[in-house]
Amino acid sequence: MKEYKLNFELVPDSCWYSNLRTLLKPAAWDVIRKKVYLKSGGFCEICGAKPKRLEAHEQWEYDEKNKIQRLKRIVALCPLCHTTVHIGLASLRGKEDIAAAHFMKVNECTYAEYRKALGKANEDHRRRNEIDEWQLDLKWLETFLNDDKS
């Protein structure tokens, strides 16, 4: 399958609300997201836009064999890229057409390629939903918070 700059990230249903905003105190999340924005230079890390407001997005990896949801990194995204990454939520909010158009523009792809990528994301989501409970691995966060203290 073709590699894209902007991808869909469908979190398994059992992992909903297992995010840093809900696990950390608001002040701690604030420190993390502001550090992410600073590192990005104020630009979206996917499309390169410089929006009025950035949003922090957690990227996760899934080790299906060992049932581990691992934090890969946190990125600064413009609202359009963030909406597109969360295509399921975009669809529920009536914004799938906007997200689809943005996906195709950023990735310079056709509607058929968009549908194929969405189908793959949905297939991964269905398979990952077969696992009832994921262990959370946040080791990346410690490295991220300590990387400028040396």
Side-chain angles (χ1 to χ4, degrees), residues 92-104:
L92 288 172
R93 292 180 173 168
K95 296 182 178 183
E96 186 176 355
D97 289 347
I98 293 166
H102 191 64
F103 181 91
M104 291 183 285

Side-chain angles (χ1 to χ4, degrees), residues 60-124:
W60 299 94
E61 295 175 326
Y62 298 92
D63 176 345
E64 294 174 36
K65 182 181 176 196
N66 296 305
K67 303 177 182 182
I68 298 172
Q69 176 191 17
R70 182 175 295 113
L71 182 62
K72 184 169 125 179
R73 63 188 291 238
I74 304 170
V75 294
L77 300 183
C78 69
L80 265 177
C81 281
H82 205 193
T83 294
T84 304
V85 164
H86 293 292
I87 191 70
L89 185 56
S91 181
L92 288 172
R93 292 180 173 168
K95 296 182 178 183
E96 186 176 355
D97 289 347
I98 293 166
H102 191 64
F103 181 91
M104 291 183 285
K105 178 183 173 188
V106 170
N107 292 315
E108 299 176 346
C109 70
T110 65
Y111 183 73
E113 291 170 314
Y114 156 77
R115 294 298 303 171
K116 186 175 180 180
L118 183 57
K120 171 74 169 87
N122 282 321
E123 178 186 309
D124 292 343

